[in-house]
């Protein structure tokens, strides 16, 4: 694994802005990849996870949702030093985790319908990035085993794809330990798996701090676990304040409100503070 330099981080952000996606090879420790893989295998048994029953989730595909609720391994992902700064560069500060789920595409799975991750949000397109998704390759991703299919250039379109349509795609091939980043407007879908092995990925989806999370992290993660998260991870889960206002509770930072940890709300209103004597009429 390599650590991205500041200039590599900026280059990645620029590529995502220009093209809507980028694959960055070899940025996750293989030890962590193995740990994630082991945990997913374990969880699949423990939770008795079944394949999906619709075209979108896939009928030969096993997905485990709400992974942040399932242990320390998954808590390492959203704050990863080679991932979070790239996504922050795309979405700006105050972003949150939108969803964290595994997607294991099994043999004989068909290609997923092409879609965009922001297509249910009713604002006119094109618009600035409000969602940035990351797909972590837990196994190698190849065209044959179902690598994510991308429709290049579609992040600037003024509409979303027809899920029943068929489109020219390119496969986001990458080796395990690599990450595909893409903006929510880019048309894409999981690929068909023509091999005898599973293609395992974890989709860690982030959204701008003013957009509703896809998975409700604050309800999904047990309170005792949330209380143990680092301050940054708590904010990413939804206990932060966006742009000095959105998310405050009684003018207090949510972490101060819940955990009395001294977190400052830093409210925008305080920039316009008036001395008490001026406030008197
Ligand atoms: O599995 C993949 O490669 C992509 C999955 C995806 O885009 C989704 O389920 O929304």
């Amino acid at each position: 694994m390599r650590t991205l330099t500041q200039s590599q981080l900026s280059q990645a952000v620029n590529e995502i802005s220009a093209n809507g996606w980028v694959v960055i090879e070899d940025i996750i420790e293989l030890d962590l990849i193995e740990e994630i893989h082991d945990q997913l295998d374990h969880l699949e048994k423990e939770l008795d996870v079944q394949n999906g029953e619709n075209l979108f989730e896939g009928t030969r595909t096993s997905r485990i949702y709400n992974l942040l609720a399932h242990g320390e391994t998954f808590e390492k992902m959203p704050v990863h030093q080679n991932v979070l700064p790239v996504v922050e560069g795309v979405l700006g500060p105050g972003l949150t985790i939108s969803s964290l789920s595994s997607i294991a595409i099994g043999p004989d799975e068909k290609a997923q319908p092409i879609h965009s991750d922001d297509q249910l949000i009713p604002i006119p397109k094109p618009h600035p990035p409000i969602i940035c998704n990351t797909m972590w390759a837990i196994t190698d991703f190849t065209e044959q085993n179902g690598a994510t299919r991308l429709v290049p250039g579609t992040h600037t379109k003024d509409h979303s794809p027809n899920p029943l349509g068929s489109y020219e795609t390119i496969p986001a091939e990458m080796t395990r330990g690599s990450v595909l980043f893409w903006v929510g407007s880019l048309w894409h879908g999981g690929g068909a798996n023509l091999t005898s092995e599973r293609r395992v990925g974890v989709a860690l989806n982030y959204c701008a701090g003013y957009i509703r999370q896809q998975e409700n992290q604050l309800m999904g993660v047990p309170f005792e676990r949330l209380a143990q998260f680092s301050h940054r991870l708590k904010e990413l889960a939804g206990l932060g304040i966006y742009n000095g206002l959105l998310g405050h509770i009684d003018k207090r930072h949510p972490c101060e409100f819940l955990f009395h940890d001294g977190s400052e709300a830093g409210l925008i209103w305080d920039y316009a503070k008036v001395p008490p004597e001026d406030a008197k009429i």
Side-chain angles (χ1 to χ4, degrees):
M1 173 215 140
R2 63 205 171 105
T3 302
L4 295 180
T5 62
Q6 198 51 50
S7 93
Q8 288 167 328
L9 290 171
S10 310
Q11 193 189 332
V13 174
N14 291 340
E15 272 189 55
I16 299 169
S17 300
N19 303 329
W21 66 280
V22 73
V23 167
I24 318 185
E25 286 280 348
D26 185 29
I27 53 166
I28 310 297
E29 309 84 312
L30 290 183
D31 286 355
L32 178 55
I33 293 292
E34 258 162 50
E35 191 181 315
I36 294 169
H37 207 165
D38 288 349
Q39 285 298 315
L40 292 176
D41 285 345
H42 168 78
L43 271 179
E44 199 170 67
K45 291 192 191 88
E46 183 182 298
L47 303 175
D48 190 23
V49 177
Q50 303 297 320
N51 287 343
E53 293 180 339
N54 58 70
L55 287 181
F56 191 83
E57 290 179 292
T59 55
R60 307 272 192 283
T61 296
S62 139
R63 293 171 182 248
I64 310 175
Y65 294 100
N66 194 31
L67 286 175
L68 211 46
H70 291 292
E72 286 176 18
T73 300
F74 302 107
E75 293 167 24
K76 297 177 193 170
M77 299 182 69
V79 290
H80 195 281
Q81 57 172 347
N82 283 335
V83 175
L84 182 56
V86 175
V87 182
E88 276 175 327
V90 176
L91 296 178
L95 76 179
T96 64
I97 299 160
S98 182
S99 58
L100 180 56
S101 53
S102 63
I103 307 179
I105 301 185
D108 295 330
E109 180 60 280
K110 296 190 182 58
Q112 187 188 35
I114 293 292
H115 59 280
S116 60
D117 289 333
D118 62 5
Q119 72 183 61
L120 298 179
I121 296 178
I123 56 176
K125 293 184 165 202
H127 52 65
I130 52 175
I131 290 172
C132 183
N133 210 336
T134 67
M135 176 64 81
W136 295 40
I138 307 302
T139 58
D140 289 347
F141 274 39
T142 65
E143 180 166 15
Q144 288 292 305
N145 77 5
T148 312
R149 304 181 298 145
L150 310 174
V151 191
T154 46
H155 61 301
T156 57
K157 289 214 179 274
D158 63 3
H159 58 284
S160 298
N162 174 353
L164 301 178
S166 84
Y167 300 96
E168 283 280 311
T169 60
I170 57 164
E173 295 194 310
M174 54 183 170
T175 54
R176 79 192 184 106
S178 308
V179 177
L180 161 68
F181 298 76
W182 74 94
V183 292
S185 303
L186 189 77
W187 301 9
H188 68 280
N193 190 344
L194 309 176
T195 72
S196 54
E197 308 285 331
R198 301 213 295 180
R199 186 229 70 179
V200 184
V202 176
L204 166 52
N205 192 328
Y206 298 83
C207 59
Y210 53 90
I211 292 288
R212 184 147 192 214
Q213 296 160 306
Q214 192 180 121
E215 291 180 320
N216 190 327
Q217 303 293 323
L218 296 181
M219 296 288 283
V221 179
F223 186 78
E224 318 76 65
R225 289 215 71 80
L226 198 62
Q228 301 302 319
F229 285 2
S230 67
H231 182 71
R232 187 73 191 103
L233 189 57
K234 284 185 184 120
E235 290 191 320
L236 288 169
L239 294 177
I241 294 192
Y242 180 78
N243 244 353
L245 191 61
L246 309 190
H248 77 88
I249 303 161
D250 258 344
K251 297 177 67 178
R252 292 161 71 191
H253 191 287
C255 288
E256 164 58 19
F257 180 82
L258 285 173
F259 308 115
H260 311 290
D261 66 358
S263 297
E264 297 277 347
L267 289 191
I268 189 108
W269 296 332
D270 292 336
Y271 288 101
K273 236 181 187 146
V274 284
E277 57 276 19
D278 290 358
K280 290 190 195 121
I281 299 177

